[in-house]
Amino acid sequence: MIVTALYDTQWNLVGFSKIMRDLTERKRLVDALLARTQQLEAVNKELEAFSYSVSHDLRAPLRAIDGFSQVVLKMYADKLDEQGKDYLDRIRQGSQQMGQLIDDLLKLSRLTREEMVLEDNVNLSDMVREIFQEFQQSEPHRKVALIVEEGITVRGDHRLLRIVVENLLGNAWKYTSQHKTAKIEFGSIRSNETSIYYIKDDGAGFDMRYADKLFSAFQRLHGSSEFPGTGIGLATVSRIIHRHGGEIWAEGEVEKGATFYFTLQPVNLKEQDYGQPSQQEHSAG
């Protein structure tokens, strides 16, 4: 109920008006929203409990497998032939890979629960150069040319966007590793007032028939013996991009490289809408 005083033109009080509002529907919506919030909180608690279980309960047997395999290799090395040693090495590699997979899954699950801290002017160009330099230092024998468009800045969560760049640039670095020389490009293009960012390489590429599998967890288009990995990286990238209200897609051709495109706001673009990349080039590396 709302009561309002009424005055005449001389500001003399002449009475009151009373307005009655039925708030039943509003209360129902508020109650429903509160109930939904409580459900989400319960689900988050269950996910946290599951993550804790995965992190602790599954790691214990993995550590045991790896540790005892290592002990056998050391203490009984003189009693094992080369095939036996190879089997134990494979057991250790498998347990270590499973441990890495658990870490990646936990990181992926946390992405949907962590609060985003948005910043203006996150410099993706500088970020690409910094991460590329880290890759170059880890493998100084690699001959990889980096081309970066200057001054690409965006609004977003700096930490999460760094994960995006690390994964996309890391993919480009990994899948060019079997070429004597390679080139990686980072730039942007405009389409319908939308900025589209891309990371392009001239490495192993992929068959476009399987492009829809790229951003799903555990889906890999190359064998782990050929290129190592757990198949979680691009799923992580996709989740971060979607949290920023954007889209991600890719184009590739076997042994002719791949290009990963992404936006940081909602778009609905088809392949013919944006054409080929064009950029101001900056050479590095």
Side-chain angles (χ1 to χ4, degrees):
M1 181 178 68
I2 301 175
V3 178
T4 305
L6 301 176
Y7 300 89
D8 61 16
T9 56
Q10 303 300 317
W11 289 100
N12 296 312
L13 181 63
V14 296
F16 297 89
S17 71
K18 181 170 67 174
I19 300 175
M20 301 292 291
R21 291 184 179 176
D22 185 357
L23 301 179
T24 304
E25 181 63 19
R26 178 180 293 183
K27 185 177 184 303
R28 188 189 68 78
L29 292 174
V30 170
D31 289 343
L33 181 60
L34 288 174
R36 181 60 176 166
T37 301
Q38 291 172 351
Q39 289 175 358
L40 290 174
E41 289 176 352
V43 169
N44 280 335
K45 287 181 180 180
E46 289 179 4
L47 287 173
E48 289 174 4
F50 173 75
S51 297
Y52 180 86
S53 175
V54 168
S55 179
H56 292 77
D57 298 342
L58 291 185
R59 287 181 189 279
L62 285 175
R63 285 195 296 267
I65 293 169
D66 187 33
F68 281 111
S69 297
Q70 187 176 17
V71 169
V72 171
L73 280 170
K74 287 184 177 180
M75 295 185 63
Y76 300 93
D78 57 334
K79 299 180 181 180
L80 292 170
D81 59 15
E82 292 304 315
Q83 188 176 40
K85 293 177 182 178
D86 179 61
Y87 288 159
L88 284 171
D89 281 332
R90 292 188 184 188
I91 291 172
R92 293 198 65 204
Q93 291 172 8
S95 63
Q96 291 167 6
Q97 184 177 6
M98 178 62 75
Q100 183 61 55
L101 184 58
I102 289 172
D103 287 340
D104 291 344
L105 280 172
L106 290 173
K107 291 175 184 176
L108 184 62
S109 69
R110 292 190 189 110
L111 287 177
T112 58
R113 304 196 306 273
E114 293 181 355
E115 183 179 354
M116 291 175 58
V117 180
L118 298 179
E119 303 176 30
D120 291 321
N121 300 320
V122 177
N123 194 313
L124 295 184
S125 299
D126 289 347
M127 196 180 289
V128 167
R129 278 191 291 266
E130 291 169 7
I131 294 170
F132 178 83
Q133 188 174 12
E134 293 172 7
F135 291 151
Q136 192 75 74
Q137 289 173 349
S138 67
E139 297 182 75
H141 62 281
R142 292 281 308 276
K143 295 181 179 179
V144 183
L146 177 68
I147 300 173
V148 179
E149 181 179 335
E150 291 288 352
I152 295 181
T153 60
V154 299
R155 175 174 171 77
D157 184 299
H158 187 281
R159 182 182 62 84
L160 293 180
L161 290 177
R162 185 175 179 87
I163 294 174
V164 168
V165 174
E166 284 176 344
N167 276 279
L168 293 181
L169 197 63
N171 258 24
W173 181 267
K174 176 168 63 176
Y175 290 111
T176 56
S177 62
Q178 296 186 3
H179 293 190
K180 291 183 179 179
T181 61
K183 182 172 69 173
I184 298 174
E185 302 177 32
F186 171 67
S188 66
I189 50 183
R190 296 282 292 178
S191 177
N192 298 329
E193 303 303 316
T194 298
S195 293
I196 303 171
Y197 312 100
Y198 66 87
I199 290 182
K200 180 180 180 180
D201 67 71
D202 58 356
F206 62 89
D207 191 328
M208 283 295 291
R209 290 179 298 174
Y210 308 108
D212 59 330
K213 296 183 178 181
L214 284 172
F215 303 103
S216 299
F218 309 119
Q219 298 292 332
R220 305 191 73 235
L221 303 187
H222 299 274
S224 57
S225 59
E226 186 180 12
F227 297 102
T230 59
I232 299 294
L234 289 179
T236 300
V237 168
S238 177
R239 190 161 296 186
I240 293 173
I241 294 299
H242 289 152
R243 287 198 68 187
H244 281 78
E247 299 290 338
I248 183 166
W249 64 97
E251 294 179 351
E253 189 175 349
V254 176
E255 287 305 324
K256 292 187 178 181
T259 305
F260 285 83
Y261 300 91
F262 64 93
T263 65
L264 296 175
Q265 66 262 4
V267 294
N268 183 18
L269 296 175
K270 296 182 180 179
E271 186 174 345
Q272 63 266 25
D273 290 334
Y274 50 85
Q276 296 298 317
S278 61
Q279 64 174 30
Q280 298 175 355
E281 295 188 352
H282 173 77
S283 182

